[in-house]
Amino acid sequence: MLSHAQNLADNWEFTELWIDPTASPPYVLILLSDSFGKSCIYDPNQNYQLAFKSNTYEEAKLWLLEDEYERVEGRLKASVLA
């Protein structure tokens, strides 16, 4: 795994679930982001393989929206789990 992605996986600030609602069942991707906005998108169907990484949350969000993924309402923050 890339060092940026590994560091983020260990030190994330929040995570979001994104789905492709046109798939049946809906296809899910997981977005992790740190306090600086660096973000990685992981694919649980591919053994949590890194699907995309970016230096900003906005770039990651646009990548997901481009493929018509929709964010599941809510956001899980790391501080909730601590």
Side-chain angles (χ1 to χ4, degrees):
M1 185 181 288
L2 301 170
S3 61
H4 166 76
Q6 182 60 52
N7 185 46
L8 184 59
D10 293 335
N11 300 303
W12 58 279
E13 182 168 310
F14 68 86
T15 187
E16 298 175 343
L17 294 180
W18 288 73
I19 63 166
D20 175 356
T22 63
S24 182
Y27 201 87
V28 176
L29 293 177
I30 299 170
L31 182 146
L32 290 179
S33 189
D34 68 12
S35 60
F36 302 106
K38 291 183 180 179
S39 300
C40 290
I41 298 170
Y42 297 94
D43 187 342
N45 290 322
Q46 300 295 320
N47 200 28
Y48 295 92
Q49 182 176 6
L50 181 65
F52 183 79
K53 73 173 189 161
S54 69
N55 288 321
T56 67
Y57 169 78
E58 191 65 27
E59 185 180 348
K61 183 174 84 170
L62 290 174
W63 184 83
L64 289 159
L65 291 172
E66 183 177 290
D67 286 336
E68 300 185 4
Y69 279 85
E70 296 177 7
R71 185 171 67 93
V72 174
E73 188 155 338
R75 179 182 277 181
L76 180 64
K77 296 188 177 199
S79 60
V80 173
L81 299 176

